[in-house]
Amino acid sequence: MRGVCLLAHDAPTDPDFALDDLPGTGRLDLVCRAITASLLLSHDIREDATVWVSLADDLCLTVDGSAVRNLRPDERSTAALIRTALAERDQLIGQRPVEPAPGLTLERGGRATALDHARAAGTLLVCHESGDPIVDVEWPADPVIVCSDHRSFTEADLDAIGDAPRVSVGPRALHADQAITIAHNYGDTEGYERY
Amino acid sequence: MRGVCLLAHDAPTDPDFALDDLPGTGRLDLVCRAITASLLLSHDIREDATVWVSLADDLCLTVDGSAVRNLRPDERSTAALIRTALAERDQLIGQRPVEPAPGLTLERGGRATALDHARAAGTLLVCHESGDPIVDVEWPADPVIVCSDHRSFTEADLDAIGDAPRVSVGPRALHADQAITIAHNYGDTEGYERY
């Protein structure tokens, strides 16, 4: 499998937002692009991939590529899916998750919950500008790429991530969706060997 | 320099469209993501990069990374920039271009004009699933990545492109913005050597 774990520090946690201003909604545009970069190919979906998004360290949204429906490449429709999920937040009781739509799961607990799911599913690789070149890191069987949003990882993020290997995907600071695209490509090509 | 030449077969050529339905506007969402993938880094812009977009083989929109202002990562604001440019289309007289905003140029002539600009600026590399692996192609000093949108290149496209080398960025069919991101990364890392 492949996984992506996105720590979206400013993302909304309630559905009371307009689809017309995603950048002003805690950079939801970035979250949407990260989700689609994680799961979508041209006219296809990565059924072996799952994304866990920590929303403002309050909620965890899971998008399962094998089950999600109506995930389209554009930001607005992806934001609408997220809004649909957040509309169910009042149904959250204790730690029990809700499934607002096929392939979407919402639950309490932000960063810790997202990272717990990620660790249970695979081996963390943390996208970090000071990490080792991706070409020098042993690629695990079940990689989970951990990314931050437009902010750097906080100290608390890094504490929660622990000693997972840090990898750099290149010499320039990229957006989360760009880093995810490059990591997927590294996996797809089996280390830039298979085209 | 770096360049990207996008052949957007269904893109709008007049400004009479709503920002709320970019996928239904000739897949303008895809065009926007391709432009931002071509020019934007995290909190930075590629000042050495230029994008030429053929809009429905009717108009050519140029976005110059060294001059464009207010280019933001989200699709909607990029679509608004394009709409601003298209609002000037009535000012087009003959082959004389207009500059609706800093760094934006609009002119008559779609594919041929975009490819002419691209050839004048650098060396074409055509993103194509049957191309040679990008790692096996000699990387020119001034690469211009030629991409199609959600459609495959047409026979007329391939005729116009001529014998430019075709490169594959990986074994899976990707969106244009994803392919552009990977090509930029290949250049940034000097062939996956520098991180």
Side-chain angles (χ1 to χ4, degrees), chain B residues 104-178:
Chain B
L104 291 186
T105 307
L106 187 72
E107 63 199 299
R108 290 189 199 277
R111 178 179 58 215
T113 302
L115 286 168
D116 282 351
H117 286 308
R119 283 195 186 91
T123 304
L124 305 191
L125 292 175
V126 184
C127 268
H128 198 285
E129 59 192 63
S130 69
D132 293 324
I134 191 169
V135 292
D136 293 340
V137 173
E138 191 173 352
W139 189 248
D142 297 308
V144 180
I145 307 299
V146 184
C147 293
S148 189
D149 55 3
H150 58 296
R151 300 181 187 274
S152 299
F153 289 117
T154 64
E155 283 302 312
D157 293 337
L158 294 174
D159 283 349
I161 289 167
D163 61 358
R166 300 183 189 182
V167 301
S168 163
V169 298
R172 308 205 67 168
L174 301 178
H175 290 136
D177 67 299
Q178 295 171 328

Side-chain angles (χ1 to χ4, degrees), chain B residues 47-195:
Chain B
E47 294 194 2
D48 66 339
T50 299
V51 190
W52 301 276
V53 186
S54 164
L55 302 170
D57 197 21
D58 180 32
L59 298 173
C60 175
L61 175 71
T62 302
V63 190
D64 176 349
S66 71
V68 67
R69 293 184 200 158
N70 301 318
L71 180 65
R72 301 198 188 96
D74 67 296
E75 293 164 10
R76 187 184 174 94
S77 67
T78 305
L81 270 187
I82 295 172
R83 196 168 65 170
T84 299
L86 290 176
E88 301 290 312
R89 73 160 291 162
D90 290 344
Q91 307 303 315
L92 289 172
I93 299 166
Q95 296 308 308
R96 195 184 306 171
V98 292
E99 295 189 31
L104 291 186
T105 307
L106 187 72
E107 63 199 299
R108 290 189 199 277
R111 178 179 58 215
T113 302
L115 286 168
D116 282 351
H117 286 308
R119 283 195 186 91
T123 304
L124 305 191
L125 292 175
V126 184
C127 268
H128 198 285
E129 59 192 63
S130 69
D132 293 324
I134 191 169
V135 292
D136 293 340
V137 173
E138 191 173 352
W139 189 248
D142 297 308
V144 180
I145 307 299
V146 184
C147 293
S148 189
D149 55 3
H150 58 296
R151 300 181 187 274
S152 299
F153 289 117
T154 64
E155 283 302 312
D157 293 337
L158 294 174
D159 283 349
I161 289 167
D163 61 358
R166 300 183 189 182
V167 301
S168 163
V169 298
R172 308 205 67 168
L174 301 178
H175 290 136
D177 67 299
Q178 295 171 328
I180 292 164
T181 295
I182 291 165
H184 264 320
N185 182 246
Y186 186 73
D188 291 344
T189 59
E190 296 174 9
Y192 304 133
E193 296 286 346
R194 191 172 74 87
Y195 284 81

Side-chain angles (χ1 to χ4, degrees), chain A residues 87-186:
Chain A
E88 301 288 313
R89 71 161 294 162
D90 291 343
Q91 307 303 315
L92 290 172
I93 299 167
Q95 297 307 310
R96 195 185 306 171
V98 293
E99 295 190 31
L104 291 186
T105 307
L106 187 73
E107 62 198 300
R108 289 189 200 278
R111 178 178 58 214
T113 302
L115 286 168
D116 282 351
H117 285 309
R119 284 195 185 90
T123 303
L124 305 191
L125 292 175
V126 184
C127 268
H128 198 285
E129 60 192 62
S130 69
D132 294 324
I134 192 169
V135 291
D136 293 340
V137 172
E138 191 175 351
W139 189 250
D142 296 308
V144 180
I145 307 300
V146 184
C147 292
S148 189
D149 55 4
H150 58 297
R151 299 181 187 277
S152 298
F153 288 117
T154 65
E155 283 302 314
D157 292 339
L158 294 173
D159 283 350
I161 289 166
D163 61 359
R166 299 183 190 181
V167 301
S168 163
V169 297
R172 309 205 68 167
L174 301 177
H175 289 135
D177 66 299
Q178 295 171 327
I180 292 163
T181 295
I182 291 164
H184 264 320
N185 182 246
Y186 186 73

Side-chain angles (χ1 to χ4, degrees), chain A residues 2-36:
Chain A
R2 302 261 183 90
V4 171
C5 180
L6 176 71
L7 304 186
H9 298 92
D10 299 330
T13 56
D14 71 59
D16 182 25
F17 61 83
L19 296 176
D20 292 348
D21 183 18
L22 302 181
T25 307
R27 291 305 308 279
L28 194 58
D29 62 311
L30 181 154
V31 174
C32 293
R33 287 194 303 280
I35 291 171
T36 51

